[in-house]
Each structure stands twice: as structure tokens, then as C-alpha cells.
Amino acid sequence: MSVEAIRPSDEDAVREGYDRWAAVYDRDGNPLQALDDVHTPRAVGDVSGLRVVELGCGTGRHTLRLAAAGAAVTAVDFSEGMLAEARSKPGADRANFVQHDLSKPLPFENGSFDLVFSALVLEHLADLDGFFAECARVVRHGGRVVVSAMHPAMFLRGAQARFTDPDSGEKVMPGSYDHGVGAMVMAVVRAGLTLEAVGEYTPDAELATRVVRAEKHIGWPMLVVIQARRLA
Ligand SMILES: C[S@@+](CC[C@H](N)C(=O)[O-])C[C@H]1O[C@@H](n2cnc3c(N)ncnc32)[C@H](O)[C@@H]1O
């Protein structure tokens, strides 16, 4: 697949879109988040005692779980609206939230973290090589990088990150790039990371009983989860 924007995308449009989405992000019955909740924590595994950086933390869906599981979490996002939601939640005081644009170098020293983690952010980033190079730089030797993303099959079906503004009823698409799985994997390899696993996941009937919007996606790949390691 190409890395052409499905909808012309720039950082300002994405940030402004998520500032608006923040108020309803946790409550709009998003099937991709539900599928990610099932598979991504399994890929992450035990984080107790680990220094973790989460890139594109949003409203802290994973951040608070990681902190509650005993990780020292630094959580990065550029949307003040999403960060405000995250900071307002019980347990948020256990994480260190940093406002930063991921299209720029991360404000962390080399090898600062045992785990670099990111969920459902890749579609908003034009430069996958730059993103994974920064992941490789800030993870310690022997540390892991775990990244989930919307599966490109969703783009072929006309789906991309979007929400309905509850005030205006407007359908808002912050802006996405339809990166293929190959582009994601090759960016990991070019960053010098060792690929350990790539999982592709579909919602099933059980998920659809919990999240109605998953029904039309049963059997279609919705989620990619990449696991890599920085070997010395
Ligand atoms: C779909 S949300 C995912 C949030 C959270 N990781 C989750 O799984 O619920 C994408 C997040 O990435 C953030 N994001 C997108 N592009 C970014 C960039 N260039 N720099 C920092 N954050 C970015 C957005 O603000 C938003 O919070």
C-alpha cells in the first residue's frame, strides 16, 4: 500500500481532531480499541518494575493499566485535550505525562527505557522510519518495542480513525496514512530492531456481543501488533 494520506493529513489537523475527540474518545464504543484491549496487553506481558514510555498515550487507556501493574510510565502525546482526560483519571498521578509531537525527536536520553510501547498511533504518522528509529534509540539494549496499529485492511474497507462530534453531529477524521504491514515491518528492520512477532487480529462474535460496532468487522483483520527487541 502507499503512504499517501487517505485524507490530507498534517500534524495540526490530527492534534486538533484529537482535542475534539477527547471528550468522547473513551465512550464511543470503538471496536478497534476493544480488540486492542484483548490482544495488545498480552503482547506487552509483565511490566512490573519496568521503565516504560508510551508514545501517543491518548486518554491513558493503556497508561493507567501499565502504571497500576507496577511500571514507571512516561506517557507522551501532543493533544492537550487527550492528555487532560488522561490526567483527570484515578491513578494518573502514577504516570509522568509529557506533551510532545512524535514527528520530532523524543526528549529522552538514549537507552532510557526497558519497554517502548505505542497503541493505535502509526496511522497518524507520515514517517515510520523516523518513529521506529526513535523507538530504537530510547530503548535500552535488550529492551522491547511493542506497537499496535489499525490493520491496513481496514483502510481498504474505507475505515480510518474518525468520530462523531456530539455537539455538531459532524463526522471528524483527524487524518490518516494507509501504511501497509510491510511498511511497518520494514521500518522496524531499518531501525536496527530485531523483529520477534507480528500478530494480525480479527474481531469475533464474542467481541461483537460486547461492542456492537464490531459486528460488521467479524472475520476482517482490524489490528496489527508488532513486537521487536533491541539486541546489543
Ligand atoms: C487513536 S488514539 C490512541 C490513543 C491511545 N494510545 C489508545 O490506544 O487509546 C491516537 C493518539 O495519538 C496521538 N498522536 C497522533 N499523532 C501524534 C503526534 N504526531 N505526536 C504525538 N501524539 C500523536 C493523538 O493525539 C491520539 O491521542
Side-chain angles (χ1 to χ4, degrees), residues 24-231:
V24 292
Y25 182 84
D26 290 334
R27 293 185 295 280
D28 60 5
N30 186 317
L32 183 59
Q33 288 173 31
L35 192 64
D36 185 70
D37 274 339
V38 173
H39 296 286
T40 301
R42 286 184 195 151
V44 167
D46 182 9
V47 294
S48 178
L50 298 187
R51 299 163 300 164
V52 177
V53 66
E54 183 183 359
L55 305 177
C57 64
T59 58
R61 192 166 61 89
H62 286 289
T63 318
L64 302 183
R65 180 185 55 75
L66 292 165
V73 187
T74 300
V76 178
D77 205 288
F78 69 174
S79 162
E80 189 48 54
M82 297 294 270
L83 285 170
E85 285 290 321
R87 287 188 179 111
S88 73
K89 293 180 176 174
D93 55 328
R94 295 193 193 144
N96 173 33
F97 291 97
V98 176
Q99 187 173 24
H100 179 79
D101 182 347
L102 297 174
S103 68
K104 304 195 165 53
L106 294 170
F108 309 119
E109 299 293 323
N110 296 354
S112 305
F113 299 100
D114 303 299
L115 170 68
V116 177
F117 172 69
S118 182
L120 310 183
V121 179
L122 287 193
E123 73 177 275
H124 300 303
L125 303 178
D127 179 12
L128 294 187
D129 281 350
F131 174 80
F132 280 107
E134 280 296 280
C135 293
R137 184 182 67 75
V138 301
V139 73
R140 68 165 169 83
H141 288 284
R144 299 175 68 221
V145 175
V146 178
V147 174
S148 74
M150 182 189 279
H151 196 285
M154 298 307 293
F155 295 111
L156 295 174
R157 303 186 74 215
Q160 62 174 295
R162 77 179 72 198
F163 74 101
T164 303
D165 187 315
D167 295 328
S168 63
E170 181 191 357
K171 289 199 189 317
V172 180
M173 291 177 282
S176 300
Y177 296 88
D178 58 344
H179 302 295
V181 175
M184 298 176 196
V185 164
M186 288 314 298
V188 170
V189 171
R190 282 193 290 267
L193 295 163
T194 298
L195 200 58
E196 294 194 323
V198 180
E200 299 175 76
Y201 301 102
T202 68
D204 59 14
E206 186 281 324
L207 189 93
T209 62
R210 293 189 285 118
V211 183
V212 175
R213 285 170 55 198
E215 173 79 38
K216 68 178 178 192
H217 300 298
I218 290 175
W220 284 88
M222 282 192 92
L223 180 74
V224 186
V225 184
I226 295 171
Q227 300 181 51
R229 190 179 295 273
R230 181 181 176 194
L231 295 179

Side-chain angles (χ1 to χ4, degrees), residues 5 7-21 78-79 101 124 160-161 163 170 172-177:
R7 173 182 178 277
S9 173
D10 62 55
E11 278 89 28
D12 287 345
V14 174
R15 193 181 63 248
E16 285 160 18
Y18 276 100
D19 281 344
R20 292 174 67 187
W21 196 342
F78 69 174
S79 162
D101 182 347
H124 300 303
Q160 62 174 295
F163 74 101
E170 181 191 357
V172 180
M173 291 177 282
S176 300
Y177 296 88

